[in-house]
Structures are given as C-alpha cells and as structure tokens.
Amino acid sequence: MVTVADYSGLTSTWCPGCGNFGILNALKKALVELNLKPHQVLLVSGIGQAGKLPHYTRGNVFNSLHGRPVPPAIGAKIANPELTVIAISGDGDGYGEGGNHFIHSLRRNHDITYLVHNNQIYGLTKGQTSPTSDQGFVTKTTPYGASPPINPIALAIATGAGFVSRSFAGDTEHLSRMMKAGITHRGFALIDILQPCVSFNHKNTFSWYRERVYKLEEQAGYDPSNKLAALEKAFEWGDRIPIGIFYQQTLPTFEEQIPALRQGPLVKQPIDPKQIQPLIDEFI
Amino acid sequence: MTTDINFMVGGEAGQGVQSVGFLLAKSLTRGGFHIFADQDYESRIRGGHNFFRIRASDSAIGAIVEQVHILLALNKESIDLHRKELTSNGIIIFDGEKIKDTGSNTSLFSVPLERLAQEKAGNKLMSNTVALGAALGLVGYDLTIMDQVLREHFGADNIGQDNVKAARAGYEYARENFKGNFKQHLSPIGDTRIMLLTGNDAIALGAIAAGCKFMAAYPMTPVTSIMEYLATKARDLNLVMVHAEDEIAAINMAIGASYAGVRAMTATSGGGFCLMVEGLGLAGMTETPIVIIEGQRAGPAIGLPTRTEQGDLEFVLHAHHGEFPRAVLAPATIEDCFWLTIKAFNLAEKYQLPVILLTDQYLASSYATVSKFDLAKVTIERGLLFEPTTNEEYQRHKITESGISPRAFPGQEGVLVVTDSDEHDEAGHLIEDAETRTRMMQKRLRKLLSLKQEISPPQLYGPSKAEITLVGWGSTYGALREAVDILRKEKPSVNLLHLNELWPFPAKAVANVLAGSGNSYVIENNATGQLARLIRRETGVKVSGNILKYDGRPFTPAYIVQAVQEGRYDHGNGS
C-alpha cells in the first residue's frame, strides 16, 4: 500500500500560508488514493514557485525551463506511456511564457495531466502582473492597471480539450478529487487551480475566493458533456466563480494514434542498426 | 578522369526540374557513374528560376563544377541565364516550338518537348520527361536503364508507362535529329549497386541506424526532408516523429524523450536554432543527451532561406548563457553525414550532453553516389547505465572522477530520476550554496577531458608539409580536395587540412600541420572567417589569409583554384 509518507519530500521554501501547500497536499492525497508508487510518476515542472513543487514530494522529477514544462512532459510520455505524467506550472509559466505549448498540446490531446497554479500574480519575481491578473489590477509593472486577463478555461474548451476543470487550493478535498479525475482521464487534462498568493496578491485572497467559489457538480442539471454550456460557464467570473469539471469528453489521444507505440513503449524497443538494410536498398 | 560531364536542368518551380534532375542522376548512377549533383532553388512554390546540376564521372567526385555540357532548358530564362556556362561544344536542349527569340546558335538543339509529350504519352505535362530522354539520347545512353528507372520512380502502371513513352520519344528524337558535333558518348561502365542520396537522406538513415526513436522538429529549409523521411518510416521502424508547434517545443520534447530513456533528436536551421538555444542549455544543465541537426543557410534573420552558408560556426559553439560542455561535428561529405550522425548519438549518450551536427543547405540537398553503408561497422554506445544495488539510493548527478554519472530512466522500481534546470545537488534537487555549485560545474566540465579523446584528428590531404595549406571545414571538403588536385598539377607543394569534428577543438593536430606549412589559407562560406578565428584562439596560429564566400552559393573547385592562383585573399570582413 502506498501511503502519504511515500510522498514526503524536501522542506519547502514557500512563504508561510502559501496556497501551494494546499496543492501539494492534494497531489499527495490523489497519488496515494490512486495507489501510484513514486517511481511510476513523472512530475515535470516549469519555473516559478509552482515549479519547485516536485522537489517537495517524491517521484521522478524533471524541473524544466520557464514556460516549458509541457513539451518535455509530452516527449517523456511518448517515450514511455507507462509513466503517469503530470506537468506542473503557474499562470505566468503556463499561460504566458508557455502559451503556445498550452494551446497545441490541448489540440493534440496528449495523455498528461496539467496542473496550473493560478495565483493571478508573479510571485517569485515579487509582484508583477500575470496573464490572469484581473483587469485594472495594479502591480509594479502595471501602475495604471492590468490589461484584461486570458480565460484559460474558455480557451481550453475552444481549443478542443477533453478535460477542463478548475479547483481551489483552499479546498484540498475538492482539488484532490479533480486531480484524480484528471489523472485517470484518458487524454490531456487541465486543472486550473485558484491559488492565493499571500505575499503579493492582496486582492484575490483565501477569503476572497472562499466567498465566491461554488461547485459545478452541486449544480442540478449541469452537464459537463455539453460543450456550449461549458463555454458559457467558463465566462462566469466575479461574484460567483464556478469550480469543478467544466467539460469532459473522451477523445482519441495523441499517443493512441501513434502506430509505433502499439508495440509497447519506445524505451523498451531494442536498437538494431541492421533494420535499416531495406532502407539502404531503397537508395540503390 | 576520362569521363567528366556536367548536365544542368533549368526551369521554373513546378516544371519538374527536381524530378528530371533526380532521374537523370539515378539513370547515370545505375550505369556505374560517380555522381555529384546540387540543387539551386528559390523560396517559392511556383515560378522563378531553379536549376539542378548533375555531374557524372568515371572517377570519384565530390563537388559541382560551373561548366555545363548539356543544358536542359525547360524555359527561356534557363537559356539566357546559363548560356555563358556552356562549354565550347555544349548543347542546349529546349522546346523551339514553345521558346522563341533564342537567336541562332550552334549549341541550340530544339526538341518539340510538349508536342512529343502530348503525341506519345497523351500528356503535355510530361514534356520534362521528354527532355530527360533527349538528354540521354544525345549521349547515346542505355535505353533499358532509363526505362527501368522511370518505372521504379513512377510505378509500373499507366503513369509509369506513359513516362517511359515520353522519355523514349525524346530519346529517339535526339538520336534521329541531332546533327551537331557533340561527341561525348556515355555507356554504362560498371557497378550498379551504389546508393544515390542527399546529405539529409544520409543523416536520416544514420539516425535510424543509431537507434533514434524520437524526433520532434518544426519544418525549416534545408532540413525538412529529414523530418519527412522519419515520419514516413515511423510506422515500420517503431519510431515517432512529432511535428511540434515551434522549435522551442521541438527541442524540449526531444529532451523529455531522452530523459525518459530513448535516443532523441531534433533538426532545424540557424533561425530555428536561435529558438532552441534555451533548450540547448537545458540539455547541458540536466545532462540529457540530445542530437541537434543544424543545417545552415544564409543569415541573419530570414536571410537567403534556400541558400547555403557556413555562418553559424561561432553561434553553435557559444550558444546559450553560462558554461557547459557540448560537441560539434560538421560532416565533410554525404557519406560522412551518415557516420557522424551515429557518432553524434554515441557521444551524446556517453557524455550526456548536447551534440550539434552542423551541415548546410548545399550538403543537405546535394546528391552523391555512395557505396552501401556497412552496417556491421555501426556501433551503439549508450554510455554508463545505473545498476541498482541493494542499499544505494540513485543519484542522477552523482559526482564521479570522469564527471559522468550513471544514467537511469524513470519507471524503474526503486529508482527515482530527479533533475533540474536550476543548479542542483547530486540527487538532482535544486540548491543555491556556493560549494555544491562549484563542484557540479567542475563535474560537468570535467566530461570535456575524455570527450576530447573521442575527436578524430582532421584530415590531411596531400604532402604532410607544404608551401601552401588550404584549410576548410564541413561541406567544402569535395571542392577543396579537387582544388588541391588541380593546383598540384602546377605546384606540387599544396595540401589540405580539413576539419569535420570541430568541438572539442583538435588544437594539437591543427597546430602541428600548420607548423609545417609555409602559408595557410582558410576557405569558408562566410564573411568573417570564423574558423580562422577559432584556430587562432585555440592554437595561437594566425593564418595567412582567407578565401571567403557569402553570396549564398557553394564553392566550386575552379573558384578556389582561381583565388589561390591570383592571390585573392581577404582577412575577414570587420574581424
């Protein structure tokens, strides 16, 4: 049996009270409940406070560059689909610097889970606007207020994602449920996580979110297979903020469609230079 | 060399220049001739002016030449532009019923290409195949070889049959109607079991032979055909080629795949490599093996997108911030493309670092005849791998004497593979302390010591000591070698020092050769003499001068010979 102790890692350098703690605890809980052993899990992170998370638990870890957790996660998943691959990012990392990878990996539907710690601010560089900062939000780099934010939920639905969800770092129970659903979902699973930054975002605080979030699964009649309803819900932001699975549909994954992977993981395929003999003959 | 004949096919993009050029080269290959062929094309899909030069010889050749014996002009522009390159008894095959106002000239031989294509094959689009037949008819080549090549290329069905009809019509027309004084006759001379392939083909084959299982790339001239080749073969050979959203994604995907345990590569040109630079350093820092094919073209920015240059040497040597070990190989020939690609994969895994294979548009898209690769000579060296023992916790970046840490791959029971783009400790976790930082830097850089021993010495052609030493690197080898042969007919004391493994730099070997030469001249397809500067930096030797070319076109032997004979050296623009 896997226990939470199997996932205890190094001591974190996060600020006391940081929303990241809830995310870390929820992830450990989800992995334990899925009975995954650390060696079966690959955590690929970007740069920022979220990017440090893999060091604070256990697993295989590839801590990549700023904005780039998704491409190496995809490469590793294709090389060895037996791994449970989780990419970990933040709003600046994933939606800003890594925006192009976000869009195209959704479209291709790689079988990975993508956790985006969305605190609507740049934390590690100490308090600048992020792609999800609320419009008008005043920061050190936007003294006259931030531009309108991107809407990752709507963007993901519009781009063809098969699993689009949002959760809240202050609700570990809900978050770990979303993570489990995302990890077990076959295909690309986005979990946008509302994460209070106690040091630099004094607007979108724990209590601010707590007063607003409500669970989609508790809404009578909400059907996460209805794409247009999901898209409409994705635009709800303000006094009420929905969390839960906005949209889910099982679609063919990128990996399933690769003929080479039907013979088993690439990492287990032997290397045989002689297999190119017929290719050489084609040039004769 | 008793036979040395140069064909040129010229026309607009979309007229079939490439296919006629290839089929002509293939037909001559089958007859035992040595071939070297290059392609000159514009950055457009239709129109413009493209040409394909095919040089055939009964001896080994490695370069193109300017002088054309037979020009297959598919449009008027080809005649106007290339007439001056025709030898004194050269012939221009053209369609006099379509191309007017050519003036009268004994070199012109009109063949009704379009009419014959329509009459004999029922398709005027096959007029280029008629031209192919006419060219082979002019030299009295073996008709059955031509038929066979066409059937293999177009298939045995109607399209193949119609192309054979079209080619035969051109062949017979030339045999019956040509009354000029073109004397060169070509008959098959021998071994027909030789390959005809491009530099890109050889790289793709080398990668597959080396066991590359994963490629991610973004299309960019001149390397796109490597992607396409691997994509085509992916199903049969159990490999994956991902067309990524951009070059940044491509290199990072390859790094992820390599981290997970497969041999992985990417390919791009200088402009795409600009985007890959951050990934290059990630591979260096996380000690992830990766092979990057960098096919140079004329820069900066978009530059001349379909043309050749050797302008990225210093770029690939220094790309990325900070310091980490890397290897740079630059194939000299198309055969070299195959073997150095395999070496690149072996070095990448043995030393756990990025290896850059530096080619260029000229080498990438030129064809040459090459003996079948002997696959028994391919070695696969995957380097040091971790063997689990009972109580040893795996450390991905364990400090060792050689600097090389045993590799393990994620997914193994009892092993966690942890690495970080931040500076990290032996276990792979991020650190900030000065002592660990220093030890890890030293560990990584220590790998260079043994890596240096892997670098083959540069090739010396001609006498070991000479009054004049020509120095080159990469794709210029064929032209330089032939230039030395020509120069030595008049002045025996000329040799060639040629580098195809550039980093770690073989300083001692280069210094030794240069110490025995009177004057040394570096020949490079760039404007500032980058190799010359590198030699000076690494050996302290300042060469006597440079022969530089940065017009987007490759060197020819004659160009080099003339520059040497006239003493036309420069000293690097602004350097």
Side-chain angles (χ1 to χ4, degrees):
Chain A
M1 271 308 282
V2 182
T3 65
V4 175
D6 292 324
Y7 281 102
S8 60
L10 303 175
T11 308
S12 93
T13 56
W14 291 329
C15 310
C18 176
N20 277 325
F21 289 105
I23 301 174
L24 177 61
N25 291 336
L27 179 62
K28 289 179 182 176
K29 185 169 151 59
L31 294 172
V32 168
E33 287 174 13
L34 290 170
N35 202 31
L36 286 164
K37 294 178 182 160
H39 79 268
Q40 298 172 304
V41 178
L42 168 58
L43 305 170
V44 186
S45 61
I47 298 299
Q49 291 293 54
K52 295 176 181 173
L53 180 139
H55 296 287
Y56 308 145
T57 178
R58 288 179 77 241
N60 296 289
V61 176
F62 191 92
N63 189 348
S64 74
L65 297 167
H66 187 50
R68 316 291 171 223
V70 170
I74 289 168
K77 182 70 185 182
I78 293 170
N80 188 359
E82 290 177 356
L83 294 169
T84 295
V85 179
I86 301 169
I88 299 159
S89 192
D91 41 329
D93 194 52
Y95 301 144
E97 193 89 30
N100 204 27
H101 313 310
F102 176 57
I103 295 167
H104 293 279
S105 52
L106 287 167
R107 174 176 70 80
R108 288 187 300 250
N109 199 29
H110 297 275
D111 188 13
I112 67 171
T113 304
Y114 194 28
L115 311 181
V116 184
H117 302 210
N118 182 357
N119 57 11
Q120 304 182 257
I121 190 85
Y122 278 59
L124 196 52
T125 51
K126 301 188 170 64
Q128 302 80 21
T129 189
S130 102
T132 55
S133 293
D134 287 333
Q135 184 168 7
F137 188 63
V138 173
T139 72
K140 292 172 189 170
T141 54
T142 50
Y144 309 111
S147 305
I150 68 156
N151 183 329
I153 302 291
L155 183 60
I157 295 167
T159 312
F163 185 101
V164 184
S165 71
R166 179 192 284 144
S167 189
F168 171 42
D171 186 344
T172 310
E173 207 51 53
H174 183 267
L175 177 55
S176 94
R177 211 161 59 236
M178 287 300 111
M179 288 176 174
K180 274 165 44 182
I183 291 167
T184 48
H185 172 79
R186 219 176 67 220
F188 194 97
L190 170 69
I191 305 170
D192 179 73
I193 306 164
L194 304 173
Q195 178 225 341
C197 173
V198 295
S199 294
F200 297 107
N201 189 337
H202 302 299
K203 178 191 174 195
N204 311 102
T205 61
F206 274 105
S207 56
W208 189 88
Y209 285 123
R210 254 192 207 108
E211 285 161 17
R212 290 167 172 79
V213 298
Y214 74 94
K215 297 184 175 81
L216 285 172
E217 55 269 37
E218 290 170 3
Q219 298 298 297
Y222 186 76
D223 174 12
S225 69
N226 183 336
K227 198 168 189 170
L228 284 178
L231 202 52
E232 199 177 349
K233 201 48 104 176
F235 286 97
E236 191 176 334
W237 181 271
D239 292 342
R240 278 167 59 80
I241 300 173
I243 59 172
I245 300 173
F246 283 72
Y247 182 65
Q248 185 170 15
Q249 191 193 0
T250 306
L251 302 162
T253 70
F254 185 85
E255 290 74 23
E256 282 167 356
Q257 296 172 77
I258 297 176
L261 294 181
R262 292 179 198 142
Q263 318 298 320
L266 294 179
V267 287
K268 293 184 181 170
Q269 312 264 353
I271 290 178
D272 177 17
K274 294 214 169 51
Q275 72 171 349
I276 73 152
Q277 194 63 60
L279 306 188
I280 286 180
D281 294 339
E282 288 173 4
F283 288 96
I284 298 292
Chain B
M1 224 183 275
T2 52
T3 302
D4 189 6
I5 182 168
N6 198 23
F7 296 82
M8 177 188 278
V9 187
E12 292 178 16
Q15 277 195 314
V17 170
Q18 206 274 342
S19 89
V20 172
F22 172 75
L23 292 166
L24 191 53
K26 190 79 179 173
S27 300
L28 296 168
T29 301
R30 286 290 175 82
F33 290 98
H34 296 272
I35 301 292
F36 195 92
D38 81 323
Q39 303 185 60
D40 185 296
Y41 52 96
E42 294 180 6
S43 183
R44 58 196 289 172
I45 297 164
R46 296 270 164 180
H49 177 66
N50 292 355
F51 62 84
F52 196 124
R53 285 181 283 201
I54 306 106
R55 182 183 177 196
S57 171
D58 53 2
S59 311
I61 44 171
I64 44 146
V65 289
E66 286 100 346
Q67 293 237 297
V68 176
H69 297 93
I70 298 179
L71 170 63
L72 285 76
L74 301 181
N75 64 355
K76 183 167 185 297
E77 199 182 4
S78 300
I79 302 175
D80 298 340
L81 285 171
H82 299 291
R83 187 173 235 156
K84 61 183 185 301
E85 289 153 27
L86 215 60
T87 56
S88 56
N89 62 347
I91 299 299
I92 300 171
I93 295 172
F94 76 112
D95 190 340
E97 293 178 5
K98 304 294 295 179
I99 302 172
K100 304 292 181 188
D101 309 322
T102 52
S104 66
N105 187 309
T106 51
S107 65
L108 289 164
F109 175 44
S110 170
V111 178
L113 303 174
E114 195 171 298
R115 179 160 57 82
L116 287 174
Q118 187 63 49
E119 283 174 13
K120 306 287 180 178
N123 186 348
K124 66 179 185 181
L125 291 177
M126 290 182 187
S127 53
N128 59 345
T129 310
V130 179
L132 166 73
L136 290 173
L138 204 61
V139 294
Y141 199 62
D142 189 319
L143 203 58
T144 54
I145 292 181
M146 179 183 82
D147 289 357
Q148 175 73 17
V149 166
L150 287 167
R151 280 200 195 92
E152 284 173 22
H153 188 76
F154 292 107
D157 59 1
N158 288 345
I159 296 172
Q161 291 304 335
D162 290 346
N163 271 287
V164 168
K165 285 179 196 162
R168 281 185 172 241
Y171 189 96
E172 282 154 17
Y173 187 92
R175 297 304 303 157
E176 285 164 22
N177 297 285
F178 183 70
K179 308 290 182 218
N181 70 343
F182 190 78
K183 295 282 189 293
Q184 205 147 2
H185 189 86
L186 288 181
S187 294
I189 52 170
D191 179 25
T192 57
R193 308 305 297 164
I194 197 164
M195 297 185 292
L196 177 70
L197 77 178
T198 65
N200 277 353
D201 293 332
I203 288 170
L205 286 177
I208 302 172
C212 175
K213 302 280 188 209
F214 183 92
M215 177 183 190
Y218 186 86
M220 189 169 190
T221 303
V223 300
T224 310
S225 72
I226 301 173
M227 285 177 79
E228 292 170 343
Y229 188 83
L230 262 70
T232 308
K233 300 297 177 191
R235 180 188 293 267
D236 295 339
L237 296 166
N238 290 339
L239 55 89
V240 176
M241 204 300 293
V242 181
H243 175 155
E245 60 268 26
D246 54 37
E247 286 87 349
I248 300 173
I251 189 169
N252 280 286
M253 285 180 190
I255 288 170
S258 174
Y259 161 83
V262 298
R263 290 194 151 189
M265 72 185 267
T266 184
T268 187
S269 184
F273 186 69
C274 288
L275 296 185
M276 291 188 181
V277 167
E278 66 160 30
L280 181 80
L282 177 66
M285 186 55 143
T286 58
E287 304 191 70
T288 308
I290 181 174
V291 173
I292 303 160
I293 313 296
E294 211 267 59
Q296 299 164 99
R297 63 192 217 188
I302 301 301
L304 298 172
T306 60
R307 311 215 174 258
T308 202
E309 195 160 277
Q310 293 181 305
D312 299 349
L313 173 59
E314 289 179 326
F315 178 36
V316 302
L317 286 173
H318 302 288
H320 205 84
H321 63 119
E323 299 157 297
F324 60 93
R326 72 188 80 192
V328 179
L329 310 176
T333 63
I334 287 169
E335 185 172 12
D336 226 13
C337 286
F338 178 79
W339 295 107
L340 285 186
T341 300
I342 295 166
K343 182 164 185 170
F345 278 98
N346 286 337
L347 292 182
E349 288 206 319
K350 273 177 88 175
Y351 297 94
Q352 303 174 24
L353 42 69
V355 180
I356 298 154
L357 192 84
L358 198 55
T359 69
D360 52 43
Q361 183 273 333
Y362 172 62
L363 192 60
S365 60
S366 288
Y367 282 90
T369 40
V370 177
S371 297
K372 279 167 89 164
F373 301 125
D374 181 359
L375 298 178
K377 290 189 181 147
V378 176
T379 54
I380 305 292
E381 298 173 84
R382 301 212 63 183
L384 212 52
L385 295 173
F386 178 70
E387 286 167 19
T389 54
T390 44
N391 46 18
E392 189 188 354
E393 181 116 349
Y394 177 65
Q395 294 193 304
R396 173 64 193 91
H397 299 287
K398 188 180 165 75
I399 290 178
T400 60
E401 205 179 317
S402 64
I404 299 166
S405 321
R407 278 195 306 155
F409 307 126
Q412 291 169 258
E413 182 102 48
V415 171
L416 294 179
V417 187
V418 179
T419 191
D420 197 331
S421 63
D422 288 90
E423 188 57 274
H424 41 260
D425 58 17
E426 291 181 83
H429 291 295
L430 69 93
I431 57 93
E432 298 203 21
D433 71 280
E435 193 196 331
T436 311
R437 158 68 177 179
T438 307
R439 289 173 69 217
M440 294 311 285
M441 280 294 281
Q442 289 168 345
K443 165 221 178 324
R444 287 189 294 270
L445 291 169
R446 210 152 53 231
K447 295 190 286 188
L448 272 169
L449 299 175
S450 37
L451 178 63
K452 265 183 191 163
Q453 310 304 316
E454 303 262 6
I455 297 296
S456 309
Q459 203 179 125
L460 186 65
Y461 181 67
S464 59
K465 288 182 192 299
E467 285 168 34
I468 294 180
T469 296
L470 303 185
V471 188
W473 63 279
S475 69
T476 55
Y477 178 73
L480 279 166
R481 194 178 150 119
E482 193 170 332
V484 167
D485 288 340
I486 297 166
L487 288 166
R488 291 192 68 203
K489 285 178 190 159
E490 284 182 15
K491 187 179 169 64
S493 195
V494 180
N495 63 7
L496 166 65
L497 176 67
H498 195 272
L499 290 103
N500 62 349
E501 301 190 15
L502 288 162
W503 195 261
F505 192 75
K508 215 168 168 181
V510 170
N512 284 345
V513 172
L514 294 182
S517 62
N519 285 310
S520 52
Y521 300 102
V522 178
I523 290 85
E524 297 182 71
N525 251 149
N526 61 45
T528 62
Q530 298 188 21
L531 178 67
R533 265 202 302 281
L534 183 63
I535 289 173
R536 189 171 185 188
R537 193 187 89 187
E538 294 296 317
T539 68
V541 177
K542 188 175 188 305
V543 298
S544 319
N546 303 347
I547 298 170
L548 304 173
K549 196 169 191 291
Y550 40 94
D551 56 0
R553 273 71 178 172
F555 281 106
T556 58
Y559 184 97
I560 298 163
V561 167
Q562 206 180 351
V564 173
Q565 285 172 340
E566 292 171 7
R568 214 161 12 88
Y569 303 116
D570 42 327
H571 299 280
N573 296 294
S575 68

